[in-house]
Amino acid sequence: MTALLHTSGLTKRFAKDDVATVALRDFTLSIEEGSFVAVLGRSGCGKSTLLNLLAGLTEPSEGEVRYKDRPLSGPDTEIGYLTQSDTLMPWRGVQRNVEMPLEIRGVPSAERRRVAAGLIERVGLAGFEHHYPRELSGGMRRRASLARMLAADPATLLMDEPFGALDAQLRRELQEELLRLWAEGGQTVVFVTHDIEEALLLGDRVVVLGPIGTILLDRAVELPRPRSADALRVDPAFVALHTELAAALREGAR
Amino acid sequence: MSTTDDLLTPAGRQEGPVRVALPRTWWQRHGSTTTVWSLRLALLVLLLGFWQLAADRWIDITFISKPSDIAERLGEWAADGTLWLHTWITVQEIVYGFALGAVTGALAGFVLASLSLVYRVLDPFVMALYSIPKVALAPLFIVWFGIEMHMKVLLAAATVFFLVFLNTAAGVRDVDRGLVDAVRLMGGNRWHIARKVVLPASMTGVLTGLKVAIPYALIGAVIGELVASNRGLGYLINDAAAQFDTAGVFATLVVLSVIAAVLNVVVGLLGKRVNRWKPIDE
Ligand SMILES: Nc1ncnc2c1ncn2[C@@H]1O[C@H](COP(=O)(O)OP(=O)(O)OP(=O)(O)O)[C@@H](O)[C@H]1O
Ligand SMILES: [Mg+2]
């Protein structure tokens, strides 16, 4: 396996007047092609900042991001990014939102409609194709955003707390859907979450971030797949990992 | 499965909301509109009745005229063609001025606000020009453009331009960064961003501009006619006032209000079409 995404000495500062907030300092990480990396960290430790850099949305203050061994200079359509906040176009209905990446790529409208309909069905929004984002619940908007990201069929998925706003049952379903997609398509996934259990359920590898993006723990998760949440809870290996991650997160708070 | 009749969506997932047909009676659909319009009509009749009464009993009609005289004057003017001649002139001035100002204002606002540096440099100059009372430009416009119709068209356009320009520019500059980034992530270029994000996002601003600009289009045209003209509703007001014909003045004002109301309705319909995605307040 080769490193698909690689960051070296990545630093991001936000200047405001004469002071700069350092969100990320000297961050180095390699992500293998086809792996599922879960990123854990407390609020404000720089996770979203990191994903913005990995997506090419913002420029690092220092260091660089390399994608497929080339420096990343801007957004790349191979990289799909589900941002932490919703960015559905409020003046477009669900279907037209999901079609948007295809529209920009110049896909003919019949094909666009077909792909969008399939994805909308998959995220459980059938019947809401023509609803505007403001007419949907937070979780429904999240699912529409997910469908939109998948419409572009990206090889790399960056996801910032994608399932945070969903109820436990729906989250479970979408986690399974995501795993199925990943198993079939072999995408590379970077998945940011607050939830240790979710990280262990999904990830091949868990990276725990401390303040300004210090790596507190970087650990492979060798639990056998398919993983079921109910079976995992009583698995001693899972419990040990859970304890280890929780301890690392606690340490980061100090 | 007896409930499927009133379900509009296939009952795929049970946890989602369910959409049902909502049978409404005529009164439920149109009741509040009917009430509002009946009350408006009643208020109008009441005001006119009171005016008529006051003019007959308490106040000298040389100052306030009275509704029946005004109606009579409108009838006379309609019969001899005066009304149509002057109204047509003024309507043309207003519509051309409004359209010219709106189109140039929206275009300039869209382009300049997209060029951040240019906008920052020009901002104080635009505000300075905007702050000039446009009425004060009338004599200058006469020197530049003569006293024909285009002088009035341009005077109306001058105010409309700034209002539409400033509101459009504000709309463009308020566009959510997140939406722009979303299009960048999809591989969109500047053109895609302008067309698929900035344009729809700034429509609200454009419409606000159009809405507030309507009265100013009327002001521009009528002021132009008051200052120098021998045709149009502004001239008619001047002429009637010079002869102490208050009924004539009021009759002209009625015509102007009707023109303004029609323009308001047109812009309102446009707004409804464009802002469909906005939540409807219950
Ligand atoms: N645009 C910005 N301007 C200034 N400071 C910023 C900006 N974006 C992030 N920061 C700062 O960078 C730090 C990290 O922010 P970031 O959004 O990456 O946190 P996070 O780990 O994603 O937190 P959360 O889990 O709450 O989403 C924060 O202290 C924040 O104040
Ligand atoms: Mg975040």
Side-chain angles (χ1 to χ4, degrees):
Chain A
M1 286 224 240
T2 51
L4 178 77
L5 259 174
H6 181 81
T7 72
S8 49
L10 209 55
T11 298
K12 182 70 187 175
R13 286 184 292 266
F14 294 103
K16 188 173 185 183
D17 300 330
D18 293 335
V19 242
T21 312
V22 182
L24 210 60
R25 183 186 292 155
D26 202 16
F27 184 83
T28 301
L29 185 77
S30 272
I31 292 163
E32 312 282 281
E33 182 156 9
S35 62
F36 199 127
V37 180
V39 178
L40 268 173
R42 298 177 63 104
S43 181
C45 71
K47 304 182 296 295
S48 300
T49 306
L50 172 64
L51 284 201
N52 283 338
L53 291 166
L54 292 181
L57 274 186
T58 51
E59 301 250 311
S61 311
E62 275 161 43
E64 69 167 359
V65 177
R66 296 179 78 82
Y67 183 69
K68 292 196 168 160
D69 243 1
R70 275 193 310 272
L72 188 73
S73 57
D76 187 322
T77 45
E78 274 189 30
I79 305 178
Y81 181 16
L82 187 61
T83 48
Q84 189 167 10
S85 55
D86 282 318
T87 58
L88 294 169
M89 307 292 143
W91 46 83
R92 286 176 173 240
V94 170
Q95 182 186 332
R96 300 228 309 127
N97 260 299
V98 175
E99 282 181 14
M100 210 172 161
L102 302 173
E103 204 175 298
I104 284 174
R105 209 175 279 182
V107 176
S109 73
E111 170 73 5
R112 286 202 309 252
R113 210 161 313 133
R114 198 185 57 74
V115 174
L119 284 165
I120 289 170
E121 177 75 49
R122 233 169 135 169
V123 296
L125 285 179
F128 292 89
E129 285 86 352
H130 301 294
H131 281 222
Y132 292 108
R134 293 202 190 179
E135 300 167 336
L136 302 176
S137 72
M140 288 162 85
R141 281 200 290 271
R142 211 79 194 115
R143 287 182 273 157
S145 309
L146 181 66
R148 181 180 72 178
M149 178 186 73
L150 295 178
D153 194 20
T156 302
L157 308 178
L158 308 175
M159 305 174 89
D160 200 347
E161 297 179 34
F163 306 142
L166 306 178
D167 65 273
Q169 180 57 33
L170 191 58
R171 181 188 307 194
R172 186 72 45 79
E173 283 172 28
L174 286 175
Q175 284 167 349
E176 278 165 13
E177 195 63 48
L178 178 63
L179 283 178
R180 193 154 41 236
L181 189 87
W182 176 66
E184 283 166 12
Q187 291 92 340
T188 308
V189 185
V190 181
F191 190 102
V192 166
T193 175
H194 277 142
D195 183 348
I196 300 179
E197 198 178 302
E198 186 173 43
L200 289 175
L201 186 69
L202 297 173
D204 278 337
R205 175 179 167 196
V206 178
V207 177
V208 181
L209 297 188
I212 54 172
T214 46
I215 298 180
L216 297 175
L217 186 76
D218 182 352
R219 199 175 190 310
V221 179
E222 271 141 8
L223 300 168
R225 288 181 194 271
R227 299 171 190 163
S228 120
D230 299 322
L232 274 185
R233 259 188 222 117
V234 290
D235 183 336
F238 170 85
V239 176
L241 275 168
H242 198 293
T243 319
E244 192 181 340
L245 293 179
L249 275 175
R250 251 198 316 281
E251 186 192 335
R254 268 189 263 124
Chain B
M1 294 294 276
S2 59
T3 53
T4 42
D5 296 336
D6 38 34
L7 289 183
L8 291 181
T9 46
R13 279 165 186 263
Q14 292 306 321
E15 71 269 25
V18 160
R19 298 171 66 200
V20 294
L22 202 62
R24 294 189 302 174
T25 61
W26 184 89
W27 185 250
Q28 278 170 324
R29 265 173 217 274
H30 305 291
S32 68
T33 324
T34 315
T35 314
V36 168
W37 277 102
S38 324
L39 287 174
R40 281 174 184 167
L41 199 66
L43 184 64
L44 186 67
V45 169
L46 199 73
L47 281 175
L48 289 179
F50 183 71
W51 185 356
Q52 183 80 24
L53 202 71
D56 282 340
R57 310 239 163 125
W58 306 306
I59 310 176
D60 186 353
I61 63 162
T62 327
F63 296 113
I64 62 158
S65 184
K66 61 183 183 181
S68 57
D69 282 1
I70 296 167
E72 202 176 306
R73 181 58 40 87
L74 279 172
E76 276 167 35
W77 281 352
D80 70 7
T82 321
L83 184 64
W84 314 124
L85 172 79
H86 295 287
T87 305
W88 178 233
I89 301 276
T90 305
V91 165
Q92 277 179 299
E93 290 162 2
I94 292 170
V95 170
Y96 291 153
F98 188 70
L100 182 67
V103 170
T104 50
L107 278 179
F110 194 73
V111 171
L112 287 187
S114 307
L115 309 169
S116 188
L117 180 67
V118 179
Y119 187 84
R120 273 178 60 197
V121 172
L122 291 183
D123 190 37
F125 298 103
V126 173
M127 284 315 285
L129 287 177
Y130 170 57
S131 311
I132 298 175
K134 300 305 168 295
V135 180
L137 292 178
L140 194 59
F141 273 38
I142 293 175
V143 176
W144 286 349
F145 309 110
I147 59 165
E148 288 308 305
M149 195 197 261
H150 36 268
M151 183 273 270
K152 288 116 202 173
V153 170
L154 289 169
L155 199 55
T159 323
V160 174
F161 171 85
F162 283 104
L163 289 169
V164 176
F165 172 84
L166 291 172
N167 280 290
T168 306
V172 169
R173 293 166 64 75
D174 266 356
V175 170
D176 186 352
R177 279 296 311 173
L179 300 185
V180 173
D181 282 346
V183 175
R184 287 175 62 210
L185 285 169
M186 296 174 201
N189 52 30
R190 285 179 70 109
W191 167 241
H192 287 125
I193 292 171
R195 218 176 37 149
K196 293 186 192 295
V197 180
V198 182
L199 187 63
S202 59
M203 270 337 255
T204 316
V206 176
L207 279 164
T208 312
L210 292 182
K211 207 144 199 147
V212 297
I214 293 173
Y216 292 92
L218 271 76
I219 292 175
V222 172
I223 293 282
E225 290 169 351
L226 282 174
V227 175
S229 184
N230 48 15
R231 282 180 311 172
L233 294 173
Y235 160 76
L236 212 51
I237 291 183
N238 238 356
D239 194 47
Q243 302 170 28
F244 291 100
D245 174 13
T246 12
V249 175
F250 277 111
T252 321
L253 293 181
V254 169
V255 177
L256 281 172
S257 324
V258 171
I259 296 174
V262 171
L263 268 177
N264 267 318
V265 168
V266 170
V267 171
L269 287 177
L270 205 68
K272 252 202 187 121
R273 176 76 192 71
V274 170
N275 285 338
R276 255 186 328 183
W277 54 274
K278 290 257 171 92
I280 321 133
D281 11 55
E282 289 290 316

